[in-house]
Amino acid sequence: MRVGVIGATGAVGRELVEVLGRRRFPVTKLRLFASGRSAGTVLPTPFGDTVIEEFSQEAARDLDLALLAVSGDFAKKHAPGLVAAGVTVVDNSSAFRLEENVPLVVPEVNAAAIGDARLIANPNCTTAILVVALAPLHAAFGIKRVIVSTYQAASGAGAEGMVELERETRRVLVDGAKAQNEVFAHPLAFNVIPHIDSFQPNAYTREEMKVAWESRKIMGLPDLLISCTAVRIPTMRVHGESVTIETERPVTAEAARAVLRQAAGVKVLDDPAALLYPMPLTATGQDDVEAGRIRANPVFGDRGLDFFLCGDQLLKGAALNAVQIAERVPALRVPA
Amino acid sequence: MRVGVIGATGAVGRELVEVLGRRRFPVTKLRLFASGRSAGTVLPTPFGDTVIEEFSQEAARDLDLALLAVSGDFAKKHAPGLVAAGVTVVDNSSAFRLEENVPLVVPEVNAAAIGDARLIANPNCTTAILVVALAPLHAAFGIKRVIVSTYQAASGAGAEGMVELERETRRVLVDGAKAQNEVFAHPLAFNVIPHIDSFQPNAYTREEMKVAWESRKIMGLPDLLISCTAVRIPTMRVHGESVTIETERPVTAEAARAVLRQAAGVKVLDDPAALLYPMPLTATGQDDVEAGRIRANPVFGDRGLDFFLCGDQLLKGAALNAVQIAERVPALRVPA
């Protein structure tokens, strides 16, 4: 299969190439696209050294699959043309996620929504990590309310976010100077910034509303009561999520643990006596979302549950989920 | 007034000395106590250079006020003897906080509880920061449920916590080596640890339960539905708290903002357009708890509210609150 990664030099683009290799995706020819600035550079990939090309619709139109790790504006401009040319497009941006005729997919939850679509949207990273745990809990206990507070890593803002956090942490520790900022709204080194993406009229940020909007669409629960507080913290990779749910039916920690142990894409890490619980340190580079700190929350009587998630937002939150979607697109299926 | 700081070399002890000076507490003689190891060292203080003494009840019995920044075991062993000798004791440890005859006080909320007590407990840092915002909101709207997720700094584990975070961050960034840990259960540099204090039979940590137990006692609401997820993150100072409440009566963001603007000990910092919201960067060294990101949370219909707090846990969460308590003890009041 002729596969193109569009935005190949970004944090997600690089992961896409790795994930395609690691999952032995049936690539016959890999093509990497980026801006003119990077064109000509040779990147080593699991499919051999590959020259980065400058993107144009003309150049990309003979792909079978295009994995887009680009801005929403770029995706809006180019995805429809690629689809018209017969390319299957999996888009990481938010451009099409809420469009009615575009499936928004986390394969463990709603792979069937792909249908015969040739343009499929990959959800926001925080959402993807959340719904792999929420969906099986909903199936088992019914979910009435969801309250999430996030602990989001610098790389959620792309490779530049990681570079800035590293550089500014060094500036503080080694140079004894004040941290500065360009990528983030404030210096992130040893700080916490309760502000990701732009503010909406309701005083939630867009990142927070994405978690609500997209979780509802993926889970097929348009009226799900869900709210999020999205917070950037000084970690490099992996988003943490502190989640409280109120269920429709009684729930216990033990029952919830049993459900999550069976859930695809989830790894239960919940043995406090052995100091085992989800952490960026252990979740980095892992496909599965770690779930732990599972406990009954008495604030909702016998229908409350707390848990903590850690998921690699460059993998399940982005590249891995995109490749998993591509693996499920009927038109792309390689005959066994 | 003869004032002693017991545990003067720790993170809280050092802040206590600073706060006494900054608030012009009527100290006639300041005495600093620590372990034998530090005895003899001279510390510069706002009250002049002071020699650290090794603590003994005998040595401390002629104090008017003893501010304890020591372990719970140490406090249990020595506080009763000091009180019996006529010393007023404000204890920072958890030793006496839940004892029925010991007031647990955040002066902005329940100064009246001090009464004629000579032993007064200072709450857990996360709790103190939380209740200065919760109490006025409860007075205005009635609080039915509280759900908190915390973003707690390394210094919550004392000065050693800060030293470890700094050393290990350097090890990762400068030496390119793996972070190590002694103070924390896992390496904290660029990591998130959802584990503070010991685990309880209900799978909450003691830190999380302290927030519930102590908030109920301070606010005089023994049945308050409140749960907490306490998380250590790689910041040096200031605890962040993402708070969701369900109120008894309808609430709006504007009404809540107006209430918090009038609340003692709270500084509303809530102007997203100007990038103003609570952050460790701005809350460090500040007496007031920053409150922002105030918004209606539709998960609870017209009775839901979200907000984010940042409070310097060495100040309002410890030293400042202890000195504020001492300022309100009737027996210690200096005639005007």
Side-chain angles (χ1 to χ4, degrees):
Chain A
M1 197 186 309
R2 293 158 300 179
V3 179
V5 174
I6 326 292
T9 55
V12 173
R14 280 179 276 178
E15 289 297 329
L16 279 167
V17 173
E18 287 309 307
V19 171
L20 287 168
R22 183 155 56 79
R23 293 180 75 87
R24 302 177 186 284
F25 195 86
V27 175
T28 52
K29 182 167 177 53
L30 178 71
R31 294 176 65 193
L32 303 180
F33 294 92
S35 65
R37 201 158 29 99
S38 310
T41 312
V42 178
L43 274 193
T45 81
F47 309 96
D49 287 357
T50 307
V51 182
I52 297 179
E53 306 172 57
E54 180 168 2
F55 176 83
S56 73
Q57 286 209 31
E58 195 47 40
R61 59 181 296 125
D62 71 335
L63 294 171
D64 298 304
L65 169 67
L67 300 166
L68 265 56
V70 294
S71 72
D73 285 344
F74 188 102
K76 264 193 190 130
K77 191 168 167 195
H78 295 292
L82 291 173
V83 170
V87 184
T88 294
V89 174
V90 179
D91 176 34
N92 272 284
S93 85
S94 64
F96 302 101
R97 288 181 192 153
L98 300 179
E99 290 210 358
E100 213 174 323
N101 55 342
V102 177
L104 175 66
V105 176
V106 172
E108 292 89 341
V109 180
N110 66 334
I114 296 172
D116 57 2
R118 304 304 292 256
L119 169 60
I120 302 120
N122 204 32
N124 165 277
C125 46
T126 307
T127 307
I129 292 164
L130 179 63
V131 295
V132 291
L134 279 192
L137 291 170
H138 176 68
F141 310 107
I143 293 183
K144 195 167 165 189
R145 292 189 170 91
V146 184
I147 293 154
V148 187
S149 292
T150 72
Y151 301 71
Q152 295 186 227
S155 53
E160 319 82 73
M162 277 192 283
V163 169
E164 178 163 307
L165 175 58
E166 176 167 344
R167 186 187 63 225
E168 298 306 320
T169 305
R170 238 176 236 276
R171 196 192 302 277
V172 172
L173 275 192
V174 182
D175 308 343
K178 260 181 78 172
Q180 302 178 3
N181 61 295
E182 285 174 24
V183 174
F184 301 109
H186 298 272
L188 182 58
F190 303 109
N191 195 24
V192 165
I193 309 177
H195 170 193
I196 301 177
D197 208 334
S198 56
F199 281 91
Q200 306 295 293
N202 66 357
Y204 282 86
T205 60
R206 218 174 126 71
E207 177 82 1
E208 291 163 350
M209 292 315 298
K210 281 176 186 169
V211 171
W213 296 328
E214 298 181 16
S215 296
R216 288 181 189 135
K217 178 167 177 177
I218 297 165
M219 295 176 67
L221 299 170
D223 299 320
L224 181 67
L225 297 169
I226 174 168
S227 74
C228 177
T229 299
V231 181
R232 187 79 69 192
I233 63 164
T235 52
M236 288 294 176
R237 200 167 157 154
V238 169
H239 289 350
E241 305 187 17
S242 171
V243 186
T244 294
I245 60 173
E246 183 184 12
T247 54
E248 298 280 359
R249 299 180 286 282
V251 63
T252 65
E254 201 36 70
R257 221 171 273 127
V259 165
L260 290 174
R261 272 203 204 97
Q262 299 298 319
V266 177
K267 180 184 179 184
V268 172
L269 208 63
D270 195 19
D271 186 357
L275 304 182
L276 282 177
Y277 27 71
M279 295 192 300
L281 199 66
T282 46
T284 294
Q286 301 296 316
D287 284 353
D288 285 344
V289 171
E290 294 181 350
R293 298 299 324 274
I294 301 162
R295 57 211 194 276
N297 183 338
V299 160
F300 294 107
D302 61 357
R303 282 145 211 236
L305 192 78
D306 279 357
F307 51 97
F308 199 78
L309 303 174
C310 276
D312 192 319
Q313 94 286 358
L314 295 176
L315 292 176
K316 189 59 198 171
L320 172 68
N321 196 70
V323 174
Q324 287 174 317
I325 289 172
E327 289 169 350
R328 303 290 198 104
V329 173
L332 292 175
R333 287 257 174 93
V334 179
Chain B
M1 196 187 308
R2 293 159 300 179
V3 178
V5 174
I6 326 292
T9 55
V12 174
R14 280 178 277 177
E15 289 297 330
L16 278 168
V17 173
E18 287 309 306
V19 171
L20 287 169
R22 184 157 54 82
R23 293 181 72 89
R24 303 178 185 283
F25 196 86
V27 175
T28 52
K29 182 165 176 55
L30 177 72
R31 294 174 65 193
L32 303 180
F33 294 93
S35 65
R37 201 157 31 98
S38 309
T41 312
V42 178
L43 275 194
T45 81
F47 309 97
D49 288 356
T50 306
V51 182
I52 296 179
E53 306 172 57
E54 179 169 3
F55 176 82
S56 74
Q57 286 210 30
E58 194 49 39
R61 60 181 296 125
D62 71 333
L63 293 171
D64 299 303
L65 169 67
L67 299 167
L68 265 56
V70 295
S71 72
D73 287 345
F74 188 102
K76 264 191 190 132
K77 191 168 168 194
H78 295 292
L82 291 173
V83 169
V87 184
T88 294
V89 175
V90 179
D91 177 33
N92 272 284
S93 85
S94 63
F96 303 101
R97 288 181 192 154
L98 301 179
E99 290 211 356
E100 213 175 323
N101 56 342
V102 177
L104 175 66
V105 177
V106 171
E108 291 89 342
V109 179
N110 67 334
I114 296 172
D116 56 1
R118 304 304 290 259
L119 170 59
I120 302 120
N122 204 33
N124 165 276
C125 46
T126 307
T127 308
I129 291 164
L130 179 63
V131 296
V132 291
L134 280 191
L137 291 171
H138 177 69
F141 309 106
I143 292 183
K144 195 169 165 188
R145 292 187 170 91
V146 183
I147 294 155
V148 187
S149 292
T150 71
Y151 301 72
Q152 297 186 225
S155 53
E160 318 84 72
M162 277 193 282
V163 169
E164 179 163 306
L165 175 59
E166 177 167 342
R167 187 187 61 227
E168 298 305 321
T169 305
R170 235 177 241 273
R171 195 190 305 276
V172 172
L173 275 192
V174 182
D175 308 343
K178 260 182 75 172
Q180 302 179 2
N181 60 295
E182 286 174 25
V183 174
F184 301 109
H186 297 273
L188 182 59
F190 302 109
N191 195 23
V192 165
I193 309 176
H195 170 191
I196 301 177
D197 208 333
S198 55
F199 280 91
Q200 306 294 292
N202 66 357
Y204 282 86
T205 61
R206 220 176 125 69
E207 177 83 1
E208 291 163 350
M209 293 313 300
K210 280 176 184 169
V211 171
W213 296 329
E214 298 180 17
S215 295
R216 288 180 189 135
K217 178 166 175 176
I218 297 165
M219 293 174 68
L221 299 170
D223 301 319
L224 181 66
L225 296 169
I226 173 168
S227 74
C228 177
T229 299
V231 181
R232 188 79 70 193
I233 64 164
T235 52
M236 289 293 175
R237 198 168 159 154
V238 169
H239 288 352
E241 306 186 17
S242 170
V243 187
T244 295
I245 62 174
E246 184 185 10
T247 55
E248 298 282 358
R249 298 180 287 282
V251 63
T252 65
E254 201 36 70
R257 219 171 275 128
V259 165
L260 290 174
R261 274 203 202 97
Q262 298 297 318
V266 176
K267 179 185 180 184
V268 173
L269 208 61
D270 195 18
D271 185 357
L275 304 183
L276 282 177
Y277 28 72
M279 293 191 300
L281 199 67
T282 47
T284 295
Q286 300 296 316
D287 284 353
D288 285 343
V289 171
E290 293 180 351
R293 298 296 325 273
I294 301 162
R295 57 212 194 274
N297 182 339
V299 160
F300 294 107
D302 61 356
R303 281 142 213 239
L305 192 76
D306 278 359
F307 51 97
F308 199 78
L309 303 174
C310 275
D312 191 319
Q313 93 286 358
L314 295 175
L315 292 175
K316 187 60 198 172
L320 172 67
N321 197 69
V323 173
Q324 287 174 317
I325 290 173
E327 289 170 349
R328 302 290 199 104
V329 172
L332 291 174
R333 288 260 173 88
V334 178

